[in-house]
Structure formats: structure tokens, C-alpha cells
Amino acid sequence: MLADKRMLIVLDNARDSEQVLPLLPGSPTCTVLVTSRRLLGGLSVAHGLSVVSLETLDEDAAIRLLADHLGERRIAGEPAAAAELVQRCAGLPLALAIAAARAAANDFPLARLAGELRDASARLDALEIGELSTDLRAVFQTSMAALSPGAYDVFRWLAQAPDRTSAWPRPRR
């Protein structure tokens, strides 16, 4: 189907090389972009895949992302709230994009959204915009399903631990 066609094919959130292999086109006119939370060594070795590792966004890049979605004036009008959004979204591009979409709807105040994100137990609710493709719960559930049972248990227990910004007392040394 793709012979003699120039195509960019995006395979998002690949579980492993086995999932991707049947989807690779045989045409040299096609480029494939595969995203994954894992290093897909089989693709790299067998197909000469170029690997680019991405980290979370630093504060400046995250603020730029918000400004791209909301405009420089909006960010300049609420700089403290924008910085808090970046912190509460942990520099995750999807979380920041969802926050920006919520803020763009009806000019939702950034400070109000940042306030909603302060409650760690309801943070995913505050980042809900009603579409499965951008549902952070679904993204996290997919990632968790790929973990070994022991790693799953560790992450489940870590999710219940207070974060550094919580009001819980810190242990004494």
C-alpha cells in the first residue's frame, strides 16, 4: 500500500519491538517515528533505529510550551501561577499541554488551575479534559501494565507516599 508513497508513520507508545515490527513499511520512501517508554533494542540492532532519549522539560522549556499554547501575554500576566503549573505537572509535556488546554477554555485562570493541582490526590482529575487520547490515567495505566509485578507494587506504594511539597512532617535525622 505504501510503495512509491512518501509517508511519515507515527507509532506512539510502543510496548516492545515485537509490537512495532509488523507495522514497519518496506518502502524506503517512508519514515517511521516510534515513541516508547522503553529502549527498543531489537529495532535499533535489526533496523538501524536512531534513538533519541527525552527527559522531562526544564522550567524554561515548560514555560515556553505553556506560552505557545496560551500566549506570552497570558503567561506574563500570571508568572507565579505558570511556574506552579510547571512544577505541579512535573515538566511532563502531555500534562502541561492538558493544563494549557484547560486554561485556554473560557480563559480559565492559571492560578485557579494551579490551585486545583495542589491536591495530589485529585491532580489527575484536574488534568482531565474528557478525551481518551489525552487521558493521563490511561497513559499511566498502560505504563503500569507493562511493569513486572514487583515493580508495579513499588510504584503503587510510592504513589501513596507524601511528596516533598506536602504538609506531612519530615522525618528527623
Side-chain angles (χ1 to χ4, degrees), residues 3 10 13 29-30 36 39 47 52-53 67 70 74 89-90 100 127 130 138 169:
V10 179
N13 203 16
T29 59
C30 296
S36 181
L39 180 62
H47 297 280
V52 177
S53 295
L70 300 170
R74 184 92 185 271
C89 291
L127 292 172

Side-chain angles (χ1 to χ4, degrees), residues 2 9-12 14 16-26 30 32 34 43:
L2 300 179
I9 300 165
V10 179
L11 304 174
D12 189 31
D16 54 30
S17 297
E18 305 306 318
Q19 184 184 35
V20 172
L21 284 172
L23 302 172
L24 295 177
C30 296
V32 180
V34 180
L43 290 177

Side-chain angles (χ1 to χ4, degrees), residues 28-170:
T29 59
C30 296
T31 299
V32 180
L33 173 65
V34 180
T35 68
S36 181
R37 288 177 176 75
R38 299 171 177 228
L39 180 62
L40 303 178
L43 290 177
S44 184
V45 171
H47 297 280
L49 177 79
S50 297
V51 177
V52 177
S53 295
L54 300 176
E55 300 297 324
T56 58
L57 299 176
D58 64 30
E59 186 173 0
D60 289 339
I63 292 289
R64 281 194 309 275
L65 185 146
L66 288 174
D68 288 347
H69 286 276
L70 300 170
E72 295 284 340
R73 179 179 287 170
R74 184 92 185 271
I75 301 304
E78 293 186 78
E84 186 175 356
L85 282 176
V86 168
Q87 181 215 2
R88 301 289 178 198
C89 291
L92 297 170
L94 179 58
L96 288 162
I98 293 169
R102 278 211 53 215
N106 302 318
D107 288 326
F108 195 81
L110 298 182
R112 184 171 162 201
L113 181 55
E116 289 182 15
L117 292 173
R118 282 185 200 118
D119 180 2
S121 67
R123 195 166 290 156
L124 290 179
D125 294 332
L127 292 172
E128 172 65 42
I129 56 173
E131 293 189 26
L132 187 58
S133 64
T134 57
D135 186 339
L136 284 177
R137 278 188 181 85
V139 171
F140 291 145
Q141 286 172 345
T142 300
S143 296
M144 294 293 285
L147 295 174
S148 69
Y152 179 90
D153 287 341
V154 168
F155 278 101
R156 189 170 50 90
W157 285 107
L158 284 173
Q160 296 176 29
D163 65 18
R164 292 185 302 238
T165 61
S166 75
W168 288 26
R170 298 177 194 266

